Amino acid sequence: MNILKMIIKTLKLLNSNASPWTIAFGMAFGMLIGLTPGFPLHDYLFIFLALFFNVSIPATLFSMLIFSLLSLLLTAPAHALGYRLLVDTPSLTPLWTQWYTMPLLPFTRFYNSVVLGTTLIGLICFIPLLFKIKFLVVYYRKHLQQKVMKWKIMQLLNVGNWLNVDDKLMG
Amino acid sequence: MKIIRWSFVIPLLVICVGTVAVLLVFRDPLIKKALIVNGENAFGAKVEIDELKTTLAGNLTITGLRIADRNDVWKNMADIKKLSATVNTAALLTQKIIVEEANLENLTWGTKRTTSGALPAGRQKKPALSADNLLAAFKKRFAQDQQQAGSFDVLANLQKNIEEYKNSLLAGADLQSLRAVDTVRGELTGKYEEYGKKIQQFDVNKYTRDIQAAIEDLKNTKVGSLQDIQAAQGKLAKVNETKKVLETAINDLKSMQQDVTSAFSENAGATQKITDAINADVNLVSTKLQEAKPDKRDIAPMLFGPEWGDRVLTAVDTIMFIRKHLPPPRAKQKITPAERGVDVSFTPDAAEAAKTNTPVWPQLLVKKISFSASTGGAGKEATAPLTITGTALDVCSEQNAINKPLTLTATAQRDNQTYDLTGNFDHRQSVPVDTITVKSANLDIAAISGGSGAMPKLAAGTVNIDALFSLNGDILDSKLNLAVNNAAFSADAATESQKILTGLLQGISSFTVTATAAGAPDNLQTTISSDLDGAVGDKINALAEEKIGQLKTQLQDSIRSQAEQKTKELFQQVSGNKGGLEQMITEKLSALTKGNEQLQNALNSQTPAAAASEPVKSAVEGLKGLFK
């Protein structure tokens, strides 16, 4: 039920006047948070950033959901990447050792192969995803929105109700 | 469009501040709960904290900390009245626990609990093994050494059970003298039977009948004619023949009588034979006693071996306890499986960190622990406990990270006794090297008062102790130098061995003992030497000689007594046999002599007729000559 609500809100958001950048940043932050298993320290930083800056919360939550599911598929490559950097790259060992003894950094769980791998994948994908989402939102609104809004299911879901209170909060 | 969502920032700040405030206000119960839960998981038994207080500056004070012993849930593994520590709060941000200084007050262990220290069934752990394999191996070796060193029991038994020892020796000796008596008895019995048979075979009746027949013939002899003369002569000749046979028989009997007297005489060689056998027995037993004499061994291993073994094992046990809780050096990278992926831990290298001036924090470091402890406590024996005060430096989970070993200095006191203890536990290399030293000067002799085993109790004196116990991996290297001065041994001896030794040690006021134990458990070499070895060893051997001499005399007397008693019984029996034979001979001799006399009388009564017949006989012979 909550997932359905989240999807409805995301659709409403797409069809709203909200800035495409807001939606794109929300999706990008959600990806960073959703990809990493658990909630290491840097996830709290991303959550804080998502709340502090005026990015779309529904988009962030929707993205977290999608990418946390996707991260399960990414576990193997993320582990391979993290393991390669943590163990198989001796030149980085001093860096990791230093981080391991630095304040707060151990709480990021960077020493876990999957956390490091997914975080790096997330950071690498952050900018491309940001632009891609922004492009997709603009494209949707320009070419697809009218057609989609005519779908009965969209009317049933009352996606076009602009007076939804959540829009004001999460716009 | 606003970039910053101010409507969220203020509630977020409020929530954050509120959370921090709650954590700050309730930090003490939360930390207490966390310590109890984690402690119980680590120790597998109940952990109790009476009171816990912290400050934001990182000061921690725990009052009444009790950790139950999972192997004996009615005892405390540790009971600390007060623990205060200063924790480096900055290090907490790196997930490390760095304690700048800790102070343990009134630490006791093995104290009695009023409630069970067992955890609920689901949280219990298996009891820890009572003895470490290495410790068990050393224990076995020391037991073997002690067995080889021997004890004073042989000497004590020689003194105490001399009678029993003598009897056992006699029983197992197969004495020649007793066998010689039996042999002589057999020989004399044979002779007795032989002579008895001979005497029985001597038919007196036959001789009597011959005599009577001869006498009758003589009586019936009448010389009336020439033919009668010839017949008479024939009868006389026959009677004379009978008499001759009779006299021969009498002589035989007399000869037999002499033989019997001679054969059964005590001086007939039997006595000498038995005496020779007794002497041979005495020599045999003397030889056996020399064999039974204890070997000349050094007494130090017998006196101090058990005590030395106990001390070394206690030191090894202590080292093994520290090793168990002070892990070996980790690899620079340690990979452990996680829920997803792997966790890689990185151990900082102190030497490398020093080059870059980087602060290095291991997972756990207590830079300094000051402690006061006692070997006493609730439920312990009433003997005066040792009070221990000391300092431990650099208690660290990864010694390589700080490049320092754990060091320990402590002073243990009981009344006027003071021991200085040091420890160095170096786990920076793959093979740990742990060393404990114990030193004490002018210690009251009560510290090694003896009174147990063979060692007599020392009533007065002082002792200097200098001991080192080192375990390099599994290789033990331990040394002890003990110097006792102004010693006086108590006359209060608990055992026979102590009594003997007390006598031997009188006059010795100072002595030294040097003990070593070195090597792996399967090749442990132990030595214990003392100047008592020379001084008392000779005395012990002289004492053994003396005891053996006494025993020898007693054994000789006993052998002689036994053999002589048996010989006496033999000769009483022989004397009876001899009397019987002599009586038989005498009776027969008497009968024959009587018969001989009768025969002689009969011959004498026939002499006139015989005389008359002689002229007739001569005339007849003359006439015969005429007619030739």
Side-chain angles (χ1 to χ4, degrees), chain A residues 52 54-55 75 100 104 112, chain B residues 3 5 93 96 340 342-343:
Chain A
F52 187 75
N54 197 9
V55 300
T75 297
Y100 202 73
L104 296 176
N112 181 276
Chain B
I3 294 174
R5 199 194 321 258
L93 296 174
K96 312 289 189 304
R340 287 172 71 181
V342 292
D343 284 344

Side-chain angles (χ1 to χ4, degrees), chain B residues 129-139 320 521:
Chain B
L129 291 174
S130 58
D132 185 83
N133 287 341
L134 189 62
L135 184 68
F138 278 121
K139 259 184 193 170
M320 295 314 295

Side-chain angles (χ1 to χ4, degrees), chain B residues 315-612:
Chain B
V316 171
D317 196 20
T318 307
I319 289 172
M320 295 314 295
F321 177 81
I322 289 168
R323 278 190 183 180
K324 191 176 164 188
H325 294 90
L326 204 66
R330 286 200 323 212
K332 283 193 174 177
Q333 283 182 343
K334 189 185 175 191
I335 300 166
T336 48
E339 196 179 340
R340 287 172 71 181
V342 292
D343 284 344
V344 185
S345 61
F346 298 89
T347 305
D349 187 286
E352 287 174 16
K355 289 177 193 169
T356 56
N357 207 20
T358 310
V360 175
W361 284 324
Q363 208 66 40
L364 170 70
L365 170 65
V366 185
K367 291 181 180 174
K368 184 180 176 184
I369 304 175
S370 303
F371 59 89
S372 65
S374 169
T375 57
K380 289 200 172 178
E381 287 178 12
T383 52
L386 274 171
T387 304
I388 305 164
T389 53
T391 308
L393 298 177
D394 303 312
V395 181
C396 179
S397 61
E398 298 138 59
Q399 289 187 346
N400 277 335
I402 57 168
N403 200 24
K404 287 179 186 173
L406 188 164
T407 54
L408 172 79
T409 52
T411 303
Q413 281 190 309
R414 178 193 284 135
D415 301 329
N416 58 346
Q417 302 168 36
T418 304
Y419 300 89
D420 292 321
L421 310 165
T422 67
N424 191 298
F425 306 94
D426 192 344
H427 293 195
R428 286 174 291 177
Q429 305 299 320
S430 57
V431 177
V433 181
D434 302 304
T435 307
I436 294 173
T437 66
V438 182
K439 282 187 184 181
S440 185
N442 293 321
L443 196 65
D444 192 280
I445 203 69
I448 55 153
S449 61
S452 62
M455 183 66 184
K457 198 172 181 182
L458 282 152
T462 59
V463 61
N464 296 340
I465 297 172
D466 187 355
L468 178 144
F469 307 94
S470 175
L471 203 58
N472 187 337
D474 289 352
I475 312 293
L476 177 70
D477 183 15
S478 51
K479 291 170 194 161
L480 166 76
N481 288 313
L482 203 74
V484 176
N485 296 306
N486 305 318
F489 291 91
S490 166
D492 225 5
T495 66
E496 194 62 31
S497 304
Q498 287 178 10
K499 199 173 170 184
I500 295 168
L501 265 175
T502 305
L504 297 175
L505 290 165
Q506 290 306 324
I508 296 174
S509 62
S510 62
F511 59 88
T512 59
V513 179
T514 305
T516 65
D522 57 348
N523 188 30
L524 187 70
Q525 304 292 320
T526 58
T527 63
I528 302 177
S529 60
S530 169
D531 45 14
L532 288 177
D533 288 337
V536 182
D538 290 341
K539 285 187 180 179
I540 286 172
N541 282 295
L543 180 69
E545 287 285 0
E546 186 190 328
K547 296 292 169 198
I548 286 169
Q550 287 175 4
L551 184 59
K552 191 174 165 183
T553 307
Q554 287 195 22
L555 281 168
Q556 285 175 353
D557 292 347
S558 180
I559 289 167
R560 284 187 200 288
S561 166
Q562 279 191 39
E564 282 169 7
Q565 177 63 28
K566 211 167 175 182
T567 308
K568 193 178 169 188
E569 287 169 10
L570 169 68
F571 283 125
Q572 277 178 353
Q573 185 189 345
V574 167
S575 176
N577 292 344
K578 183 184 159 194
L581 289 173
E582 283 176 340
Q583 191 179 353
M584 284 165 68
I585 292 170
T586 305
E587 283 171 2
K588 294 200 181 227
L589 197 59
S590 172
L592 290 181
T593 307
K594 192 179 172 187
N596 193 28
E597 283 171 1
Q598 285 175 349
L599 192 60
Q600 188 61 47
N601 290 338
L603 278 171
N604 291 341
S605 64
Q606 292 299 325
T607 303

